[in-house]
Amino acid sequence: MMRKITKSKAMILMAVSMFIIAMSQIASRFITLNDFTKGSFIGVGIGLLLITLVFGDFKSVRK
């Protein structure tokens, strides 16, 4: 069972995942990558985004 990820760690994971997706798009523009490599990079980025959204602690403060 995974613990909740704190808000700061979730934001870092979200930024890293978007960076991975962006770098794969830029790399595929300038370098010929096969489909497996492009799909792997995008899959890892989307997987990190989903982990962040599912296990991240984004609850607002209640008074």
Side-chain angles (χ1 to χ4, degrees):
M1 185 175 207
M2 290 188 68
R3 295 185 213 163
K4 288 283 185 185
I5 299 173
T6 61
K7 191 170 186 174
S8 61
K9 288 183 182 179
M11 294 307 245
I12 291 171
L13 267 177
M14 196 175 294
V16 167
S17 63
M18 287 189 281
F19 181 75
I20 290 172
I21 293 172
M23 285 298 111
S24 70
Q25 293 294 317
I26 292 170
S28 67
R29 174 78 171 128
F30 296 110
I31 302 169
T32 304
L33 298 174
N34 59 9
D35 290 337
F36 179 75
T37 308
K38 282 193 273 188
S40 296
F41 282 128
I42 292 174
V44 167
I46 291 173
L48 285 175
L49 277 173
L50 287 175
I51 287 173
T52 302
L53 291 175
V54 170
F55 294 111
D57 188 19
F58 290 112
K59 295 179 182 175
S60 61
V61 177
R62 296 183 185 186
K63 294 182 181 182

